[in-house]
Amino acid sequence: MNTHNIGRNAPCPCGSGKKYKKCCMGKPKVAFTNYRGQQAVYGEEAILAAYKILSECEAYLSRKNLTVERGLEILKELYALYNEFNKHFSPYYSCARGCTHCCFTNVLVSKIEAQYVKEFVLLNFSKDDQDRFNKIINQQKDEYLSLAEINFDLSNKTSQNQDRYFAKHLPCPFLSDPGDCLIYSARPVPCRTCNSVSNPEKCRNNEKQALTDPFKINDYLTKRVINISKRIYGLPSTIKHLPAWFIDGFKT
């Protein structure tokens, strides 16, 4: 396990490109300002939490012969590290329980995150519940399959697919009627890192909102998880909209 000590001359985890000693070391800084005008001020605890994510990801990617079982353990560890990092900024987000705006988006995930969700569903839901999920998924199967499997490159095609899918307003099959995420503790990185700082009215009116990514950790973590999936399953590593992984059920 890494000690997670940040060297004074190391690149600052905030992503500025400066040395740590000349950037965030010992200096409270503002990550972003939300729609209320509140500034998300962070200190060294947030910097250290970010550094833990960066260092652990690199350590995981340096390992040889990653198995599916180890990959699932790594995901659990990374989710916990992200939660620790995110608690420094979540009080400034607009997101709250019952807000479902982001639950109608094209959630692109790799095979290892899909496997994590699958095992969560098999462990925590009855056969009837699983059949209900399958029924919802198969009702929208053509829509899911119309989003071509793509390699993760943040391309215009990805953005266009996202806009086109969102316009259809199809809810995630794991969204309950009251607006709760039924797989919340197992939700993938794109769901965990979708953090709005806009007025919640924009979400309720399905308007474009301002998302924030402190230190660009969200983007970094997304890419590293996909690379971990590549290490486990080999190339080419495909990503799909989350429910598209379960069109054939949860036990296949």
Side-chain angles (χ1 to χ4, degrees):
M1 178 63 69
N2 295 315
T3 59
H4 304 301
N5 293 321
I6 309 173
R8 289 169 52 84
N9 293 312
C12 188
C14 78
S16 66
K18 299 178 182 179
K19 291 182 179 180
Y20 179 49
K21 67 181 180 183
K22 293 187 175 181
C23 190
C24 292
M25 183 176 177
K27 301 174 186 176
K29 298 185 75 173
V30 176
F32 59 87
T33 302
N34 66 16
Y35 80 99
R36 298 188 189 92
Q38 297 171 321
Q39 294 182 325
V41 178
Y42 65 89
E44 289 196 14
E45 285 189 8
I47 287 288
L48 182 58
Y51 186 70
K52 287 180 180 179
I53 294 174
L54 302 181
S55 58
E56 287 297 334
C57 280
E58 297 314 309
Y60 294 143
L61 285 170
S62 69
R63 296 178 183 177
K64 296 180 179 179
N65 303 319
L66 282 179
T67 63
V68 173
E69 290 74 18
R70 183 58 185 134
L72 296 174
E73 292 172 359
I74 288 171
L75 277 184
K76 185 175 181 178
E77 292 166 11
L78 288 178
Y79 290 162
L81 286 174
Y82 180 78
N83 290 345
E84 185 66 22
F85 165 78
N86 205 39
K87 75 178 186 181
H88 296 283
F89 304 102
S90 57
Y92 303 95
Y93 298 150
S94 306
C95 308
R97 185 173 183 176
C99 178
T100 61
H101 178 83
C102 61
C103 303
F104 293 80
T105 57
N106 177 15
V107 179
L108 296 172
V109 301
S110 60
K111 190 172 182 178
I112 191 62
E113 284 202 280
Q115 184 65 31
Y116 194 92
V117 171
K118 178 187 290 187
E119 297 205 3
F120 179 85
V121 169
L122 290 173
L123 182 64
N124 292 279
F125 292 91
S126 68
K127 180 64 167 57
D128 287 344
D129 287 333
Q130 293 173 35
D131 289 343
R132 180 168 53 83
F133 290 146
N134 283 141
K135 182 178 179 180
I136 296 171
I137 289 170
N138 278 279
Q139 285 174 345
Q140 305 298 341
K141 177 172 68 174
D142 292 341
E143 294 293 345
Y144 300 152
L145 294 178
S146 71
L147 298 167
E149 297 180 7
I150 56 175
N151 289 321
F152 188 74
D153 59 3
L154 296 178
S155 64
N156 288 334
K157 180 178 178 182
T158 304
S159 177
Q160 291 166 2
N161 272 345
Q162 184 70 275
D163 292 343
R164 179 173 61 84
Y165 184 82
F166 184 72
K168 296 179 183 293
H169 207 62
L170 300 175
C172 174
F174 303 113
L175 183 66
S176 72
D177 288 337
D180 288 332
C181 175
L182 297 174
I183 58 165
Y184 189 78
S185 63
R187 68 198 188 284
V189 168
C191 300
R192 292 173 187 269
T193 60
C194 186
N195 300 311
S196 172
V197 293
S198 294
N199 190 318
E201 282 299 316
K202 288 192 173 184
C203 292
R204 286 189 279 270
N205 296 329
N206 292 323
E207 299 175 27
K208 193 163 186 176
Q209 58 198 290
L211 302 178
T212 187
D213 185 1
F215 309 168
K216 297 191 182 300
I217 285 291
N218 302 358
D219 181 59
Y220 177 91
L221 186 57
T222 297
K223 291 178 179 178
R224 292 309 182 277
V225 167
I226 290 172
N227 284 336
I228 289 170
S229 190
K230 287 180 181 179
R231 289 285 308 279
I232 295 169
Y233 296 104
L235 294 171
S237 181
T238 306
I239 61 173
K240 303 179 188 179
H241 182 33
L242 176 62
W245 287 104
F246 310 121
I247 286 174
D248 295 323
F250 293 96
K251 292 187 178 180
T252 56

